[in-house]
Amino acid sequence: MAQPGTGVGGYRSWRGSEPHSHSDWQDDPGFLAGATGVGLALLAAVCPVEPAWDRLLLASIPAAAAD
């Protein structure tokens, strides 16, 4: 789905639910829905190192609390 020369790293995000704006593909380097967040999620999926950035989203469960 990459389109070289467009967006961030060749990828764009669909923005269609914002009030008073038109629905369209837009460049989004953001953390939550943009290229940065997608990249971090993919790295977390393939890397054996536990991601520390997920604490920012309050999505991290400490190992001691999981038992």
Side-chain angles (χ1 to χ4, degrees):
M1 298 296 296
Q3 298 176 348
T6 64
V8 179
Y11 294 94
R12 302 184 84 197
S13 297
W14 177 257
R15 298 290 182 179
S17 62
E18 298 175 9
H20 309 294
S21 70
H22 63 282
S23 300
D24 197 7
W25 292 97
Q26 299 177 359
D27 301 349
D28 187 2
F31 180 74
L32 288 178
T36 303
V38 171
L40 285 172
L42 291 173
L43 282 174
V46 299
C47 186
V49 178
E50 179 182 352
W53 56 265
D54 61 350
R55 287 185 240 160
L56 174 71
L57 300 172
L58 300 176
S60 180
I61 300 172
D67 293 333

